[in-house]
Structure formats: structure tokens, C-alpha cells
Amino acid sequence: MSSSPSSSYFTTHTLTYLDAPDSPTSLLVDKRIVPYLPIPKHPPRLTPLGEDGTTCFKIRPAGPDKGLGMFATRHIPTGSLIYVEHPAIFAPAEVPLTGKARSSAYHSLSEVLPQHRRDELHTMANCRSPSECALEEGILCTNALALELGLPDDIDIEAREYGGVFLTINRCNHSCGPNAAHKWDLASFSTSLYALRPIAPGEEITIIYTDVTQSRDTRRARLSSHYGFTCLCSFCTLPSPLLEESDATRAALRDWRHTRPTFTGWATDLCRSDDFVLQSHMDALTLIEKENLQGMASVFVRDVCLCWAMLGEEDEFKKWAERLLELCEIRDTTMAREVRGWLVDPKSKVPKWGWRKKQRTRM
């Protein structure tokens, strides 16, 4: 790690990595949080390579007005790791600097990077004009993924929300029905890109840039104002009345996240039918598949899995536990570890296995 002063408020700090010594991260951070920055560990997983030593994707032009994109070069199964990467630059969402001090602070981010990393950074999309801000700030505004530092609450600082630019993962374009997502790991200061559903060779690998449960018009307005493009994905170009149906489905899923019946509320409530949560969640999962919003599926799949456990149905439980494991292997490693334990011996590992079935036989 190294630091150099960039203003009275912030410092430019560098993180280096044993797993990627030629790919350091340049950070613009409040000086008071420097002691809390991690000494990066090795990522929990490394980018998988094929037998020929290559990744499962290529970066190439994505089409008119779309710039570059990431495309699968072989089949990528659901839940599979696609790429692991450290950010090139990292900065707060809000920097309380103005004028030359602000421009200098952002410019210092790229100055400390190795030449090859700086050159690649400067090719990233930038929806801000030179009159609005420094090049590096524009690149951050256009590309940054929201990242957490996990700072203690008692540190008296304003800047708590941060973002990072990834030279490869940020080549993923947006889709309102994405086939990939990313997971931040603070300990290794890296993000993992993984598949939300099977991705075919030649298919573009996409993520989301905005809340895709909003209506098409709301999504487009947000993407246009923040990123300078009009989304032309298959969901945004649906003809009416299919578009109205899609908007209604997404609104229902947005509400369902907060109002759905839960496993916890149902588990010991014998006044509820045994299929009360199952039916509700199966309906939600049908809508999720219809809209290609598999990133929302894990909470529903988890509850379905646990419902079958409470009902003592081992075959159904295992089927859904394997699906849950597929969904959370990278997204939630703690849950994945627990599910693997369940699958070894469900009847002894899953709390209250068959409880509802036993209670029904006593009634």
C-alpha cells in the first residue's frame, strides 16, 4: 500500500495484490479511513480457465451505438463464475471538492496506475463532457459499481458510499433481463461476475445498471439521464400490449419482495394450508422466469426448499436445495455452505425436518 496527498480532505491510495501484481487499484479516500482499508487477501475463487487457458468470454464490439461488450465463447452454466477482478479506480459517490482541487483529485487516480492500466481506463465509456468534469470523474460516473467498505459507524466522515471501475467487468452492457450479476468481496477487494442462468456460446453477457422492476419508461428515463443511452433490450422493445403486461409483472414482483408470505410466518402456523407459501412462491418464480429476472429468485427458492423440509418431502427438498445451491454459490457463500450441509443428511441437518407433517398426523 502507498499514499500520496491529493487535497486537504482526501488522499490517493494504492492497493496491490499478490494474485495480480500488475493490476493495482488507485483509491481516492478520506484520509481518516486509510487505517481501515483491508490488506487484500487472495480472492475466494480465481477466474476459471478452459483447457486452452482462456476465459469463457471475449470482449468485442456489441453493435451500433453500444461500444464494446462481453460475449460468451462457450456454454456457461447457471451460477458459474465468469470472471474475478480488482477495480482499477475507486472513489466516493460524493467528493466535497470543487474547481481545480476536484479535477486534480480525480486526475491523480489514473496518474498512479501502470501505463497499460491507465490506457485501458481511458478507453472506458464516459457520458460526461470535458466541460462538466475531469475524464476520470466522468468514467467513474458512467461505469462505477457500488461497493462497500464496511466502515465502523463511529468514524466521523461524510463519504460512506463508494464505487469502483473494473476494466473488464464494466465492459458488460445493460439488459433489463440480465444473464449475469456481480458480487463484491471486501477482504480480497475484488468482484466476481457470475451467471444467473445458462449462457450460450456467442450470447452477450449482461448485467443491470438500474432497478429493472420499474416500468419500461422509468427504466429508460433513468438510463438516459445517467448513462446517455436508450435501452433497446428485448423487454424494452416489446410491442403493446405485451409491454403493459411486462410492466405489470415487474411491478408485482417489486411488491412481492416486501409483501410475499414467508416461510418463517408459515412454518408453525397450522391454520395455513401446507401449500400456502409453496403456491405463492411458485407463482412468483414463474413471473421471474418470464421476465428473465433470475437475480430475484434466491429468496423464493430458499423458502420453497425449507417448506419441503418442514413437510418432510426429501426428494422435493433435495431438488430445490440443489437449485438454491446453484443460485447462492457465489452470491451468498454462507448460505451455500449451509445448503451443502443440508444435502449431506437433510433429516438431521435441517432444523425441524418434517415438523408440519408430524403435526398433521396428530390432529
Side-chain angles (χ1 to χ4, degrees):
M1 297 187 191
S2 62
S3 300
S4 60
S6 59
S7 75
S8 59
Y9 298 97
F10 290 90
T11 184
T12 302
H13 192 79
T14 303
L15 289 182
T16 56
Y17 309 100
L18 293 175
D19 63 290
D22 62 342
S23 300
T25 299
S26 177
L27 303 86
L28 181 63
V29 293
D30 188 301
K31 295 175 181 178
R32 290 166 292 183
I33 74 167
V34 170
Y36 297 93
L37 292 174
I39 298 175
K41 301 177 181 178
H42 277 277
R45 296 174 180 81
L46 297 178
T47 297
L49 301 177
E51 294 181 358
D52 58 357
T54 63
T55 60
C56 61
F57 63 88
K58 290 288 188 183
I59 305 297
R60 61 177 174 82
D65 302 321
K66 288 188 67 175
L68 298 177
M70 180 184 287
F71 292 82
T73 55
R74 55 179 177 265
H75 175 72
I76 305 173
T78 301
S80 295
L81 180 63
I82 298 172
Y83 196 68
V84 181
E85 186 176 16
H86 302 288
I89 56 175
F90 180 95
E94 297 292 337
V95 176
L97 301 173
T98 59
K100 291 184 178 180
R102 185 182 184 91
S103 297
S104 176
Y106 277 105
H107 185 59
S108 67
L109 281 169
S110 65
E111 283 187 325
V112 299
L113 291 175
Q115 188 67 49
H116 72 279
R117 209 149 160 80
R118 185 188 319 147
D119 290 345
E120 182 68 16
L121 177 71
H122 288 168
T123 69
M124 303 296 289
N126 178 10
C127 63
R128 301 294 182 89
S129 68
S131 62
E132 292 179 271
C133 61
L135 174 62
E136 291 78 10
E137 182 177 0
I139 290 171
L140 272 159
C141 289
T142 307
N143 298 277
L145 303 181
L147 307 174
E148 295 183 358
L149 281 180
L151 299 172
D153 293 335
D154 58 358
I155 301 179
D156 184 23
I157 60 170
E158 294 181 7
R160 288 186 172 273
E161 297 181 359
Y162 287 81
V165 174
F166 297 82
L167 301 183
T168 298
I169 291 176
N170 275 130
R171 296 299 186 184
C172 290
N173 286 311
H174 166 85
S175 171
C176 296
N179 56 21
H182 45 86
K183 172 69 175 178
W184 171 242
D185 179 61
L186 176 60
S188 61
F189 226 73
S190 69
T191 282
S192 295
L193 181 70
Y194 62 97
L196 291 173
R197 61 175 184 273
I199 303 174
E203 184 179 351
E204 185 171 8
I205 299 171
T206 56
I207 59 176
I208 61 171
Y209 294 2
T210 190
D211 180 359
V212 291
T213 64
Q214 297 292 332
S215 69
R216 191 277 304 270
D217 289 348
T218 300
R219 299 193 306 269
R220 277 188 162 179
R222 163 85 178 178
L223 292 167
S224 178
S225 64
H226 283 72
Y227 303 102
F229 71 88
T230 298
C231 185
L232 297 175
C233 75
S234 59
F235 291 96
C236 283
T237 53
L238 285 170
S240 181
L242 293 180
L243 177 60
E244 287 81 1
E245 183 181 335
S246 176
D247 282 352
T249 298
R250 289 169 186 253
L253 287 171
R254 183 173 65 250
D255 294 340
W256 223 320
R257 286 188 298 196
H258 308 293
T259 62
R260 73 185 189 280
T262 63
F263 165 79
T264 303
W266 165 88
T268 57
D269 183 0
L270 295 176
C271 293
R272 300 283 190 180
S273 66
D274 285 347
D275 67 351
F276 178 68
V277 172
L278 286 172
Q279 189 59 58
S280 168
H281 284 30
M282 293 302 290
D283 289 345
L285 288 167
T286 298
L287 298 182
I288 284 171
E289 290 296 319
K290 177 183 176 183
E291 296 294 317
N292 276 355
L293 297 180
Q294 287 83 359
M296 298 179 66
S298 60
V299 293
F300 296 98
V301 173
R302 177 183 180 276
D303 278 6
V304 169
C305 177
L306 291 174
C307 284
W308 286 119
M310 289 289 283
L311 295 170
E313 298 289 343
E314 188 170 355
D315 289 345
E316 286 293 333
F317 168 79
K318 285 185 174 180
K319 179 179 76 175
W320 285 90
E322 287 169 357
R323 182 174 174 182
L324 177 59
L325 182 60
E326 193 176 57
L327 291 172
C328 67
E329 191 72 64
I330 295 173
R331 177 176 181 167
D332 187 341
T333 54
T334 300
M335 172 60 68
R337 186 165 51 249
E338 185 175 23
V339 175
R340 280 194 290 270
W342 292 348
L343 284 166
V344 171
D345 186 357
K347 294 180 180 179
S348 65
K349 297 291 186 181
V350 181
K352 293 191 173 183
W353 176 269
W355 184 89
R356 284 184 73 97
K357 185 175 182 179
K358 294 172 186 175
Q359 297 306 309
R360 292 298 188 200
T361 61
R362 296 172 184 170
M363 293 174 69

